[in-house]
């Protein structure tokens, strides 16, 4: 059975470097799913209420831009808070290493001991890691505070989620903007394909096969749209 990836020096280095951008891909998938769900829910709700197509377009565009900006702003605030906290704790650890190096070495030694190192190997590993202050503090940040080794960039995170939300959220509106008929049927098909496609991409981080992940996302999006359509139907003239 073939392994999922190679283990050559270059392949290992590329895979380790690629992990640093996994958060951006997560933001893009999250933004894409939410953009499609919320926009198509509005389309379904307006359609269920029997309102005109221009109402779908107006509400849909307003939702895509306003909700997308809201999500981006929230993501920016959250990511920036984590980044600021990480910088604060980095300064704390840097001061501790400078003013109490023995105490910090003892902490590092306990961390490595909990990972299974002992004896001379433990002493050598502690000495080697503590010889590089940046790597030393990076390990303390991850093991003592549970913070990732790479500092997040809040502006980039916000842009990624905004662009993903807008691009995916615009897809269910395309039939109405293009004047296709029946617009709601076209919109339903496009939204279903979008849900399934995003679900298959999401399967990269799941144990489920791609088709099951796609169907799961499709069902979730379909349920949200069905609820919106039912609520809209309550106000149908």
């Amino acid at each position: 059975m073939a392994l999922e990836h190679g283990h050559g020096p270059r392949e290992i280095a590329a895979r380790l470097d690629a992990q640093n951008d996994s958060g951006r891909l997560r933001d893009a998938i999250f933004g894409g799913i939410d953009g499609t769900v919320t926009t198509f829910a509005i389309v379904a709700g307006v359609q269920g209420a029997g309102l005109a197509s221009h109402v779908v377009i107006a509400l849909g565009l307003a939702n895509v831009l306003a909700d997308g900006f809201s999500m981006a702003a929230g993501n920016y605030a959250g990511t920036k808070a984590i980044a600021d906290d990480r910088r604060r704790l980095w300064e704390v650890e840097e001061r501790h290493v400078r003013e109490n190096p023995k105490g910090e070495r003892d902490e590092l030694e306990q961390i490595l001991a909990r990972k299974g190192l002992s004896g001379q190997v433990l002493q050598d590993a502690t000495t080697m890691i503590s010889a590089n202050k940046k790597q030393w503090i990076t390990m303390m940040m991850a093991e003592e505070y549970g913070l990732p080794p790479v500092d997040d960039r809040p502006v980039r995170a916000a842009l990624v989620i905004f662009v993903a939300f807008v691009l995916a959220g615009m897809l269910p509106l395309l039939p109405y903007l293009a004047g296709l008929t029946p617009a709601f049927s076209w919109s339903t098909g496009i939204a279903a394909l979008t849900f399934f496609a995003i679900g298959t991409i999401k399967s990269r981080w799941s144990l489920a096969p791609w088709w099951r992940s796609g169907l799961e996302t499709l069902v979730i999006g379909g349920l949200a749209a069905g609820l919106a359509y039912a609520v809209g139907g309550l106000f149908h003239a």
Side-chain angles (χ1 to χ4, degrees):
M1 181 178 179
L3 298 177
E4 286 77 8
H5 51 71
H7 292 82
R10 291 185 179 179
E11 293 171 306
I12 294 174
R15 193 160 57 252
L16 293 176
D17 292 338
Q19 291 180 359
N20 297 338
D21 288 329
S22 61
R24 302 291 78 80
L25 199 50
R26 177 202 61 207
D27 290 338
I29 291 175
F30 178 60
I33 291 176
D34 199 50
T36 309
V37 168
T38 55
T39 305
F40 187 63
I42 287 178
V43 171
V46 173
Q47 191 72 35
L51 301 178
S53 296
H54 68 272
V55 178
V56 175
I57 296 174
L59 292 179
L61 290 176
N63 167 78
V64 166
L65 296 177
D67 205 8
F69 180 81
S70 176
M71 283 193 64
N75 196 30
Y76 170 83
T79 305
K80 187 175 185 300
I82 294 174
D84 290 344
D85 188 45
R86 188 178 190 280
R87 279 191 288 268
R88 178 184 65 83
L89 292 173
W90 183 281
E91 292 177 0
V92 169
E93 286 300 313
E94 200 169 32
R95 187 175 71 254
H96 288 187
V97 167
R98 183 174 62 252
E99 298 180 3
N100 187 12
K102 183 181 183 305
E104 289 296 313
R105 277 179 58 92
D106 290 343
E107 285 187 21
L108 176 61
E109 185 174 326
Q110 284 198 36
I111 289 171
L112 295 175
R114 292 187 178 191
K115 292 182 177 295
L117 277 65
S118 61
Q120 189 60 44
V121 174
L122 174 60
Q123 299 300 319
D124 291 343
T126 303
T127 301
M128 292 179 66
I129 294 175
S130 60
N132 186 322
K133 188 173 73 171
K134 182 178 179 181
Q135 294 300 322
W136 184 3
I137 297 177
T138 297
M139 174 167 281
M140 300 300 292
M141 295 290 288
E143 299 296 332
E144 189 173 354
Y145 302 107
L147 293 175
V150 178
D151 203 355
D152 287 323
R153 289 166 284 187
V155 174
R156 184 182 176 187
L159 287 175
V160 168
I161 204 166
F162 178 76
V163 171
F165 187 98
V166 171
L167 289 179
M170 285 295 296
L171 292 177
L173 295 177
L174 291 180
Y176 293 90
L177 294 171
L180 299 177
T181 55
F184 184 60
S185 297
W186 279 96
S187 181
T188 301
I190 291 174
L193 288 175
T194 304
F195 288 138
F196 188 80
I198 295 176
T200 58
I201 297 173
K202 184 169 63 69
S203 67
R204 179 178 178 181
W205 298 273
S206 171
L207 295 176
W210 63 269
W211 57 268
R212 184 180 298 171
S213 180
L215 288 176
E216 180 184 78
T217 307
L218 175 60
V219 169
I220 293 173
L223 288 175
L227 289 172
Y229 187 87
V231 172
L234 297 176
F235 301 93
H236 197 293

